[in-house]
Amino acid sequence: MNPANAAPDMSILHLITNASVLVQVVMAILLLTSLFSWYYIFLKYFALRRANTLAVEFEKQFWSGAELNDLHQRAMSSREQAGSMERIFEAGYREFMKLRKQPGIFFFQAEDGIRRAMRATYQREMDELESHLPFLASVGSVSPYIGLF
């Protein structure tokens, strides 16, 4: 018996192809969840980076003393490319303009409506930024147990 041939083949491919069906299924599940996780991680990274860049740009414009009407027009014209802060501002400003046209409403009365519109938009933006986080949390907490199985 040749000692060189006595060692079992320990290549990854050999180990996978000679594993039982149950082990192959578990490895396939882990591989798929890993691929989906990395996909969502990169999506989240680029979305958060873009949101941060757009927020900084809008904040500079807002605090530079620009006319609010101009900021509102810019937010309305580029709604698809607008950042979260820009959309929150746009919702509040739109509600302000709507309530301002109503006779007999003072600012302190309109303030609740403006805050409500801004809060609703804020929540939609946060929901968008937090999308897929439950999946990532579930995969992160369950994967070690699946691997141990």
Side-chain angles (χ1 to χ4, degrees), residues 97-146:
M97 295 304 282
K98 183 175 79 173
L99 293 174
R100 192 176 116 190
K101 293 177 184 177
Q102 294 180 2
I105 291 187
F106 298 104
F107 179 74
F108 66 88
Q109 294 169 323
E111 188 177 4
D112 286 336
I114 295 167
R115 284 184 192 214
R116 194 171 25 258
M118 292 175 76
R119 198 172 301 125
T121 304
Y122 167 80
Q123 193 58 52
R124 279 193 299 275
E125 295 298 320
M126 288 304 294
D127 288 345
E128 179 66 29
L129 288 174
E130 292 174 350
S131 64
H132 306 300
L133 286 182
F135 172 80
L136 291 172
S138 298
V139 167
S141 64
V142 171
S143 290
Y145 298 109
I146 293 174

Side-chain angles (χ1 to χ4, degrees), residues 41-148:
I41 288 168
F42 282 115
L43 274 181
K44 190 68 45 207
Y45 172 75
F46 292 122
L48 290 174
R49 194 171 81 175
R50 181 178 182 275
N52 188 43
T53 302
L54 292 173
V56 168
E57 286 177 18
F58 178 74
E59 199 168 355
K60 283 180 187 175
Q61 291 174 355
F62 183 83
W63 291 113
S64 70
E67 284 289 320
L68 294 181
N69 286 330
D70 294 340
L71 286 174
H72 181 253
Q73 289 303 319
R74 245 181 286 166
M76 291 290 291
S77 66
S78 64
R79 197 173 237 178
E80 296 300 318
Q81 291 85 21
S84 297
M85 286 181 64
E86 202 166 358
R87 283 192 281 268
I88 293 168
F89 165 77
E90 191 264 328
Y93 195 79
R94 185 175 1 101
E95 186 70 16
F96 170 72
M97 295 304 282
K98 183 175 79 173
L99 293 174
R100 192 176 116 190
K101 293 177 184 177
Q102 294 180 2
I105 291 187
F106 298 104
F107 179 74
F108 66 88
Q109 294 169 323
E111 188 177 4
D112 286 336
I114 295 167
R115 284 184 192 214
R116 194 171 25 258
M118 292 175 76
R119 198 172 301 125
T121 304
Y122 167 80
Q123 193 58 52
R124 279 193 299 275
E125 295 298 320
M126 288 304 294
D127 288 345
E128 179 66 29
L129 288 174
E130 292 174 350
S131 64
H132 306 300
L133 286 182
F135 172 80
L136 291 172
S138 298
V139 167
S141 64
V142 171
S143 290
Y145 298 109
I146 293 174
L148 288 173

Side-chain angles (χ1 to χ4, degrees), residues 10-31:
M10 295 298 288
S11 70
I12 297 292
L13 184 62
H14 184 276
L15 291 174
I16 292 172
T17 55
N18 288 336
S20 69
V21 174
L22 180 62
V23 171
Q24 289 176 346
V25 168
V26 169
M27 286 190 291
I29 289 171
L30 288 172
L31 178 67

